[in-house]
Amino acid sequence: MKKYGAEFFGTFWLVLGGCGSAVLAAAFPDVGIGLLGVSLAFGLTVLTMAFAIGHISGCHLNPAVSLGLWAGGRFPAKELLPYIVAQVLGGIVAGGVLYLIASGKAGFDLSAGFASNGYGSHSPGGYSLLAALITEVVMTMMFLLVILGATDKQAPQGFAPIAIGLCLTLIHLISIPVTNTSVNPARSTGVAVYVGGWAISQLWLFWVAPIIGGMLGAVIYRFIGNEEN
């Protein structure tokens, strides 16, 4: 239960910190943090939690990561479901807290997106479903490749959280204009349930694509990396 609790609060922090920066601070009048700030915020949530709970649960914070680690031979199948449930619940609770904060400002409107992921008319840059699918698959694939490599027994010890956090930052720098960046079904679900409508109808892609990408990343690392883990 300690591991599941760690995943709950870790994912809570990721969604509150990452999506919170997008909703509350990205376009704040005159001094908004912009896409660079939001990208850093997502990376910092993972970096800080990896140091805080990595020794407790492994700090997955992401169903696609848990499934990718399982596919990479690093995680037992029996713990997949409780990990994923804890992650999704953490994301939804964080979305609720963010909603309570954001709705305290006059003029707040969920239809603005609430940091939800989308494609087509709901893509920040108007990118198609196919572009969104490719982006999410490839970005999650590279994320798992970095995670597996950075946590390999032969990798420099103690630096994995930095590499993983910076990788997530880079992923956001690349893909926010395309999908608002998911690479994490729990992150997508955590805000989509409050937006409803189009966000829920497009949510399938932000489960399917990251999971496919995570599996591909695991397969690639098993081919190119150290097998003794």
Side-chain angles (χ1 to χ4, degrees), residues 25-40:
F28 190 76
D30 302 325
V31 291
I33 62 175
L35 299 187
L36 176 59
V38 174
S39 299
L40 283 169

Side-chain angles (χ1 to χ4, degrees), residues 44 50 72 93-95 100 111 113 122 131 148 174 212:
L44 288 171
V93 172
L100 291 174
S111 66
H122 299 291
L148 288 165
I174 297 167
I212 292 172

Side-chain angles (χ1 to χ4, degrees), residues 69-222:
L69 291 173
W70 165 74
R74 304 274 191 92
F75 190 66
K78 66 180 181 180
E79 294 195 32
L80 277 174
L81 182 59
Y83 261 58
I84 291 171
V85 170
Q87 292 156 0
V88 172
L89 289 177
I92 291 173
V93 172
V97 171
L98 179 57
Y99 176 80
L100 291 174
I101 295 170
S103 61
K105 179 181 178 181
F108 170 72
D109 185 4
L110 274 175
S111 66
F114 198 52
S116 289
N117 302 112
Y119 54 84
S121 62
H122 299 291
S123 158
Y127 288 84
S128 68
L129 188 158
L130 180 60
L133 178 66
I134 294 170
T135 298
E136 290 292 326
V137 168
V138 173
M139 294 299 145
T140 315
M141 178 185 76
M142 296 307 299
F143 193 34
L144 261 292
L145 196 61
V146 170
I147 290 171
L148 288 165
T151 56
D152 194 295
K153 290 178 181 178
Q154 294 188 10
Q157 298 300 298
F159 294 99
I162 299 172
I164 295 167
L166 289 176
C167 180
L168 189 60
T169 298
L170 176 58
I171 286 169
H172 280 77
L173 288 172
I174 297 167
S175 59
I176 285 178
V178 184
T179 62
N180 226 11
T181 310
S182 171
V183 301
N184 184 340
R187 168 262 187 268
S188 298
T189 304
V191 290
V193 294
Y194 297 95
V195 176
W198 68 265
I200 294 294
S201 69
Q202 294 192 356
L203 185 60
W204 67 270
L205 186 141
F206 303 104
W207 274 86
V208 172
I211 288 172
I212 292 172
M215 296 291 194
L216 286 173
V219 170
I220 292 169
Y221 192 76
R222 293 191 82 157

